[in-house]
């Protein structure tokens, strides 16, 4: 009998996959298919959850088949992260205008990425205090204890090092090792290596124009090839989202989520405030924030559903260049560096909220000015090197909590609501990098305002 129910569960998933495929054949837009996959995943997950219960053996046996699609999709996203980050940053250097504007452009982008992360930390602190979040009030179950132990074990090597030593760890001693993602800071290592190659290209282009042209041609060819792979993976998004969301909903402990409801509300309140700050920055630069929301919408929806800033990079760059009039070099630079530097949601709001929540458990007054100023500074510095795929927020939390001498084990208390919050965090991360790109292009006078203000219906983003 169990086998029959198992087959029915798998058949139901395949039926929904077929429905999404049919929508693709009918040329339904990418964003509509992603949203449909999200909706179908929620509905199907609820059906399975209430039909079997989270402890059901049939449900547990069904999940590996859901993982075949969901986790398989995530694996493919992870596959393209390092090549995509590397070639996007290198290509950014071949597309930028060489001259005095380069330093200004790079400084503005990096300053905005880190600056908005510091602001996000302040927002996260405020949200924790306003909602009265306290880690000592959260009930710890087996899953939370296991997660906490895992985080504590992972943090052991980090906690032993002083902050300067942690910063040295960001440097790529062996860039080829970092391409494998072997270190927690591998992403920033690849970013730094690509940046060095980019600066080398700029030096060559001034003195050896013929060699520079050959290098640029090769980089452009590799960029086109990698983006071709990315487009193939992105076409699988609706199916991956369907399976991931269905699995998450079906196996979620709703009681645990309900008990952490205050943290979820506080998190999304903070995320909305930071997104509002992005819109204020856009407005202060003299652009229409509503236009920004409309044209960034598809990339933000993808980021929300996929929970991958790196996977969203092609849409992030295309939205800036094709819909908002940002030059290729600035869009690539902002999008690529935004994957590992200054992620407002994962590296700003989240670790700051955790630190304020956990502080009372060790007798630390979270309202103490010295504690708050130190926390904001450490969050900003630690935002360097946060990976753009799932797990980046955990690494950011480990760095911040370790530097603040707070117990990292308590971060495991939020395991049941992590996926729910991570969707919003990822969307805000992507918005932060796009805000940096658009604003920088506007300030440097390189933004094509005609493209920015053009009606959305006439523009398309490749997906």
């Amino acid at each position: 009998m169990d086998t029959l129910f198992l087959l029915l569960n798998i058949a139901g998933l395949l039926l929904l996959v077929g429905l999404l495929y049919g929508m693709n054949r009918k040329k339904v837009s990418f964003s509509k298919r992603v949203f449909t996959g999200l909706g179908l995943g929620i509905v199907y997950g609820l059906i399975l959850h209430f039909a079997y219960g989270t402890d059901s053996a049939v449900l547990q046996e069904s999940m590996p088949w859901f993982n075949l699609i969901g986790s398989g999709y995530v694996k493919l996203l992870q596959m393209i992260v390092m090549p995509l980050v590397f070639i996007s940053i290198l290509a950014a250097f071949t597309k930028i205008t060489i001259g005095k504007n380069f330093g200004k452009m790079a400084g503005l982008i990096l300053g905005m990425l880190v600056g908005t992360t510091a602001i996000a930390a302040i927002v996260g602190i405020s949200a924790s205090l306003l909602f009265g979040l306290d880690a000592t009030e959260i009930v710890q179950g087996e899953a939370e204890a296991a997660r906490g132990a895992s985080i504590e074990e992972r943090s052991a090597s980090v906690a032993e090092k002083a902050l300067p030593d942690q910063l040295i760890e960001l440097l790529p001693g062996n860039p080829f090792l970092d391409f494998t993602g072997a270190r927690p800071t591998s992403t920033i290592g690849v970013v730094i290596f690509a940046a060095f190659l980019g600066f080398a290209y700029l030096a060559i282009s001034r003195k050896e124009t013929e060699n520079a042209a050959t290098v640029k041609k090769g980089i452009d060819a590799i960029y086109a090839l990698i983006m071709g792979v990315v487009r193939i993976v992105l076409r699988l998004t609706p199916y991956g989202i369907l399976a991931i969301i269905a699995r998450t909903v079906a196996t979620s402990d709703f009681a645990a989520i309900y008990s952490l409801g205050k943290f979820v509300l506080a998190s999304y309140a903070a995320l909305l405030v930071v997104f509002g700050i992005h819109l204020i920055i856009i407005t202060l630069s003299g652009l229409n924030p509503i236009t920004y929301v409309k044209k960034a919408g598809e990339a933000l929806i993808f980021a929300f559903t996929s929970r991958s800033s790196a996977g969203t990079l092609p849409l992030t760059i295309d939205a800036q260049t094709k819909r908002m009039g940002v030059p290729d070099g600035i869009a690539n630079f902002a999008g690529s560096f935004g994957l590992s530097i200054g992620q407002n949601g994962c590296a700003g709001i989240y670790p700051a909220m955790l630190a304020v929540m956990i502080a009372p458990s060790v007798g630390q007054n979270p309202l103490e000015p010295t504690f708050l100023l130190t926390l904001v500074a450490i969050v900003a510095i630690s935002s360097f090197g946060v990976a753009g795929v799932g797990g980046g927020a955990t690494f950011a939390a480990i760095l911040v909590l370790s530097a603040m001498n707070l117990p990292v084990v308590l971060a495991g208390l939020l395991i049941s609501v992590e996926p729910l919050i991570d969707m919003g965090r990822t969307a805000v991360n992507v918005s932060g990098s796009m805000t940096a790109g658009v604003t920088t292009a506007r300030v440097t006078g390189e933004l094509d305002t005609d493209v920015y203000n053009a009606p959305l219906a006439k523009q398309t983003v490749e997906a």
Side-chain angles (χ1 to χ4, degrees), residues 316-326 331 334-335 433-434 437-438:
T316 302
I317 293 172
D318 277 359
Q320 290 181 78
T321 55
K322 295 179 181 178
R323 291 186 171 184
M324 301 184 199
V326 178
S433 65
M434 283 198 284
V438 173

Side-chain angles (χ1 to χ4, degrees), residues 178-198:
D178 285 331
F179 272 106
T180 68
R183 302 187 303 143
T185 56
S186 282
T187 304
I188 190 65
V190 171
V191 167
I192 293 171
F193 179 58
F196 268 96
L197 290 179

Side-chain angles (χ1 to χ4, degrees), residues 83-92 223 227 313 317 332-333 336:
L84 182 59
V85 169
F86 175 75
I87 198 62
S88 293
I89 290 176
L90 197 50
Y223 182 79
M227 293 306 290
L313 181 58
I317 293 172
N332 276 60
F333 201 93
S336 303

Side-chain angles (χ1 to χ4, degrees), residues 35-291:
F35 256 129
T36 302
L38 177 65
L40 291 175
I42 292 172
V43 172
Y44 192 43
L46 287 172
I47 291 172
L48 294 175
H49 180 90
F50 290 111
Y52 297 103
T54 55
D55 295 329
S56 166
V58 174
L59 188 62
Q60 297 305 319
E61 290 175 9
S62 302
M63 288 306 103
W65 296 97
F66 283 65
N67 290 339
L68 188 61
I69 298 175
S71 298
Y73 168 71
V74 172
K75 286 283 187 183
L76 292 176
L77 279 180
Q78 293 171 336
M79 174 188 75
I80 64 174
V81 168
M82 290 304 183
L84 182 59
V85 169
F86 175 75
I87 198 62
S88 293
I89 290 176
L90 197 50
F93 280 89
T94 68
K95 298 176 188 296
I96 58 178
T97 304
I98 302 172
K100 61 181 181 181
N101 260 2
F102 173 73
K104 183 179 180 181
M105 179 270 290
L108 278 170
I109 289 174
L110 295 176
M112 285 196 65
L113 289 173
V114 177
T116 52
T117 300
I119 293 171
I122 295 171
V123 173
I125 291 168
S126 302
S128 285
L129 295 173
L130 287 172
F131 280 80
L133 301 181
D134 188 342
T136 59
E137 297 176 357
I138 300 174
V139 178
Q140 183 167 335
E142 290 183 11
E144 287 79 9
R147 172 69 168 172
S150 173
I151 292 174
E152 192 170 35
E153 182 180 348
R154 184 179 173 186
S155 70
S157 58
V158 176
E160 293 169 359
K161 296 178 181 177
L163 185 58
D165 293 328
Q166 293 178 26
L167 294 177
I168 291 174
E169 281 295 309
L170 300 179
L171 299 176
N174 182 350
F176 299 102
L177 177 68
D178 285 331
F179 272 106
T180 68
R183 302 187 303 143
T185 56
S186 282
T187 304
I188 190 65
V190 171
V191 167
I192 293 171
F193 179 58
F196 268 96
L197 290 179
F199 282 116
Y201 166 79
L202 294 181
I204 292 173
S205 64
R206 292 190 185 95
K207 301 176 181 178
E208 305 173 41
T209 54
E210 189 174 332
N211 284 337
T214 302
V215 171
K216 184 181 187 305
K217 189 174 181 180
I219 292 171
D220 289 344
I222 296 172
Y223 182 79
L225 181 63
I226 296 298
M227 293 306 290
V229 175
V230 168
R231 283 190 287 272
I232 293 172
V233 175
L234 291 186
R235 291 192 186 105
L236 302 175
T237 298
Y239 315 110
I241 296 302
L242 165 68
I244 291 169
I245 296 298
R247 178 197 64 198
T248 301
V249 174
T251 58
S252 290
D253 184 346
F254 290 162
I257 292 175
Y258 178 77
S259 69
L260 291 170
K262 190 162 67 169
F263 181 81
V264 175
L265 287 175
S267 296
Y268 271 91
L271 291 168
L272 287 172
V273 169
V274 172
F275 183 65
I277 291 170
H278 294 166
L279 298 185
I280 290 172
I281 293 171
I282 294 290
T283 304
L284 292 176
S285 68
L287 298 171
N288 188 330
I290 296 176
T291 301

Side-chain angles (χ1 to χ4, degrees), residues 289-353:
I290 296 176
T291 301
Y292 168 80
V293 173
K294 289 179 179 177
K295 297 192 173 186
E298 191 164 283
L300 296 180
I301 290 168
F302 180 86
F304 184 85
T305 51
S306 70
R307 296 170 54 199
S308 171
S309 300
T312 312
L313 181 58
L315 298 184
T316 302
I317 293 172
D318 277 359
Q320 290 181 78
T321 55
K322 295 179 181 178
R323 291 186 171 184
M324 301 184 199
V326 178
D328 286 342
I330 293 178
N332 276 60
F333 201 93
S336 303
F337 273 80
L339 293 182
S340 56
I341 297 173
Q343 294 199 345
N344 293 178
C346 290
I349 293 173
Y350 183 67
M353 289 183 71

